[in-house]
Amino acid sequence: PLVAWFCRRFADFSVDGASTLEALAKNTRPVLLIHGEEDTFVPTYMSLQNYEACQSEKMLLTVKGAAHGLSYLVAEEACRAKITAFFELCLREYHAQAENLCG
């Protein structure tokens, strides 16, 4: 409720009216999803749906044994490797865009 209030008050949108799947279907930016497979707050299938809906460059890591927000603590090495790969992807895209702009 507090987050919904802040969104209405300061960002002028309703959380109830927002659709992650619709937004990701239109997204053009790279996306990294890291999700704990033991998450009982946000079910893992939601990240899988988001990954499938995303039309941009995307990466997904699910972590066995990790609850909500604890993936890095459970699998630090795997998370670091995925985050590094994601940053490398973003930098490649940034450089490609810069080259296109500069001719």
Side-chain angles (χ1 to χ4, degrees):
L2 184 59
V3 171
W5 179 83
F6 272 100
C7 289
R8 282 191 311 275
R9 175 87 166 109
F10 298 108
D12 197 31
F13 79 93
S14 167
V15 174
D16 296 330
S19 168
T20 305
L21 295 174
E22 288 177 16
L24 286 170
K26 298 175 190 173
N27 179 51
T28 60
R29 303 286 186 209
V31 173
L32 170 60
L33 301 165
I34 300 176
H35 202 115
E37 293 181 10
E38 303 304 316
D39 190 337
T40 58
F41 185 68
V42 178
T44 306
Y45 79 84
M46 290 181 167
S47 280
L48 299 175
Q49 287 178 333
N50 288 334
Y51 182 81
E52 290 301 319
C54 186
Q55 297 302 302
S56 65
E57 291 283 344
K58 57 193 175 186
M59 293 184 176
L60 171 67
L61 173 64
T62 61
V63 178
K64 291 182 189 306
H68 186 74
L70 299 178
S71 294
Y72 190 84
L73 296 176
V74 171
E76 181 179 340
E77 189 173 317
C79 288
R80 285 176 150 232
K82 189 62 83 169
I83 292 167
T84 299
F86 180 71
F87 283 158
E88 290 170 351
L89 168 71
C90 292
L91 286 172
R92 282 193 305 273
E93 287 207 2
Y94 173 79
H95 288 296
Q97 289 176 1
E99 285 180 19
N100 288 338
L101 289 174
C102 295

